[in-house]
């Protein structure tokens, strides 16, 4: 079956620190992988995606590379800002267009 | 592009009443819409998947008679929580995808509080 495992939070970082949020997946076939971000009181917004192995998704300084050999899609950012404080969800899209979400990782960036 | 709206954003109702939540795709035709429920500090739980003009497919454990879903057009899906009770209080989020669109686009969510 399909599933996504994310590192548990919460994560607290100082501004300009390096961020890594781990995500691994289990899937049948070749899923597309996504990172969504949810700011307080809001719905989910697509942050980045990758549709095939070795693809790198990037947006707003965040990056994630689709690693088929390790079934991973870790999210990274070189220098976080206070405005990056949010909950981050890793997800995969299965063959039936259904999304499977990780449990989310809460990030707090302090000045 | 690919904007999904939800209405209302907040609703407070008395126990026993029914509440309707609308989900609209504003600039694309949503052949499939999804309804999720999110509990505080938890991930999204898929409740049901609806295709335009068809009956919704509910996930295991979701009461279809309590959570009525209608997807009557390519831009509108509604979720009606019937005879709401305090345990139905939650954050309800819809998402939509269109033909040829791999990504789901999420609405901003509706927070329901049942007193």
């Amino acid at each position: 079956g399909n599933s996504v495992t994310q590192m548990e939070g919460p994560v607290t970082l100082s501004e300009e620190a390096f961020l890594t949020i781990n995500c691994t997946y289990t899937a049948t076939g070749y899923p597309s992988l996504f990172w969504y971000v949810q700011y307080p009181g809001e719905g989910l917004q697509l942050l980045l995606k990758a549709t095939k192995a070795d693809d790198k998704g990037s947006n707003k300084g965040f990056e994630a590379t689709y690693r088929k050999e390790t079934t991973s899609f870790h999210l990274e950012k070189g220098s976080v800002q206070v405005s990056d404080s949010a909950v981050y969800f890793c997800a995969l899209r299965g063959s039936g267009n259904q999304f499977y979400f990780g449990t989310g990782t809460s990030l707090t960036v302090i000045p | 592009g690919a904007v999904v709206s939800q209405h209302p954003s907040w609703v407070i109702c008395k126990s026993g009443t029914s509440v309707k939540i609308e989900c609209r795709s504003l600039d694309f035709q949503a052949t499939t819409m999804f309804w999720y429920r999110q509990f505080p500090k938890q991930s999204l739980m898929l409740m049901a998947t609806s295709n335009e003009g068809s009956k919704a497919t509910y996930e295991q454990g979701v009461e279809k008679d309590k959570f009525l879903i209608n997807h009557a057009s390519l831009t509108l899906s509604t979720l009606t929580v019937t005879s709401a009770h305090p345990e139905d209080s939650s954050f309800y989020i819809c998402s939509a995808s269109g033909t040829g669109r791999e990504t789901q686009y999420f609405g901003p969510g509706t927070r329901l509080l049942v007193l």
Side-chain angles (χ1 to χ4, degrees), chain A residues 31-32 34 36 38 41-46 49 51 89 93 96-99 101-104, chain B residues 32 34 36 38 42-44 46 49 59 91 93 97 101-109 111:
Chain A
S32 295
F34 302 78
Y36 281 86
Q38 184 178 33
E42 300 183 13
L44 273 70
Q45 300 176 27
L46 176 64
K49 67 177 182 180
T51 58
F89 292 92
R93 175 182 175 270
N97 202 32
Q98 284 187 333
F99 273 51
F101 287 88
T103 53
Chain B
T32 307
F34 304 84
Y36 296 85
Q38 186 180 30
Q42 294 188 28
S43 188
L44 282 72
L46 179 65
T49 302
E59 295 298 301
F91 194 47
I93 302 173
S97 65
R101 288 177 180 265
E102 185 181 47
T103 302
Q104 286 187 23
Y105 297 92
F106 286 81
R111 195 165 298 280

Side-chain angles (χ1 to χ4, degrees), chain B residues 8-112:
Chain B
S9 54
W10 265 98
V11 58
I12 301 173
C13 69
K14 293 182 179 180
S15 185
T17 61
S18 294
V19 175
K20 180 184 284 187
I21 302 169
E22 293 186 348
C23 176
R24 294 181 184 273
S25 57
L26 299 184
D27 52 2
F28 68 101
Q29 294 185 328
T31 50
T32 307
M33 286 186 168
F34 304 84
W35 287 95
Y36 296 85
R37 183 173 179 178
Q38 186 180 30
F39 294 98
K41 299 185 179 180
Q42 294 188 28
S43 188
L44 282 72
M45 181 192 79
L46 179 65
M47 299 174 65
T49 302
S50 72
N51 293 297
E52 186 266 337
S54 302
K55 289 185 178 180
T57 301
Y58 290 81
E59 295 298 301
Q60 192 172 11
V62 178
E63 299 177 61
K64 61 181 180 181
D65 293 331
K66 180 166 186 63
F67 298 99
L68 300 179
I69 292 172
N70 183 280
H71 190 168
S73 77
L74 285 170
T75 59
L76 173 65
S77 176
T78 60
L79 167 68
T80 301
V81 183
T82 61
S83 188
H85 291 286
E87 59 265 30
D88 298 323
S89 299
S90 192
F91 194 47
Y92 292 88
I93 302 173
C94 74
S95 69
S97 65
T99 303
R101 288 177 180 265
E102 185 181 47
T103 302
Q104 286 187 23
Y105 297 92
F106 286 81
T110 296
R111 195 165 298 280
L112 170 64

Side-chain angles (χ1 to χ4, degrees), chain A:
Chain A
N2 296 322
S3 67
V4 175
T5 302
Q6 258 180 267
M7 67 180 281
E8 291 190 16
V11 174
T12 302
L13 295 174
S14 297
E15 206 165 21
E16 299 183 1
F18 184 85
L19 168 71
T20 299
I21 301 178
N22 290 337
C23 171
T24 57
Y25 67 90
T26 302
T28 54
Y30 303 96
S32 295
L33 302 174
F34 302 78
W35 276 100
Y36 281 86
V37 58
Q38 184 178 33
Y39 297 101
E42 300 183 13
L44 273 70
Q45 300 176 27
L46 176 64
L47 181 59
L48 54 85
K49 67 177 182 180
T51 58
K52 61 182 187 296
D54 300 326
D55 269 3
K56 177 186 284 188
S58 61
N59 185 27
K60 298 181 181 179
F62 291 89
E63 292 183 341
T65 301
Y66 190 142
R67 301 285 187 199
K68 185 169 179 287
E69 63 275 15
T70 55
T71 61
S72 65
F73 193 54
H74 305 321
L75 181 69
E76 296 182 337
K77 186 173 185 180
S79 176
V80 293
Q81 305 300 313
V82 173
S83 57
D84 294 327
S85 298
V87 180
Y88 293 82
F89 292 92
C90 184
L92 72 81
R93 175 182 175 270
S95 57
N97 202 32
Q98 284 187 333
F99 273 51
Y100 299 85
F101 287 88
T103 53
T105 302
S106 175
L107 169 67
T108 300
V109 180
I110 54 177

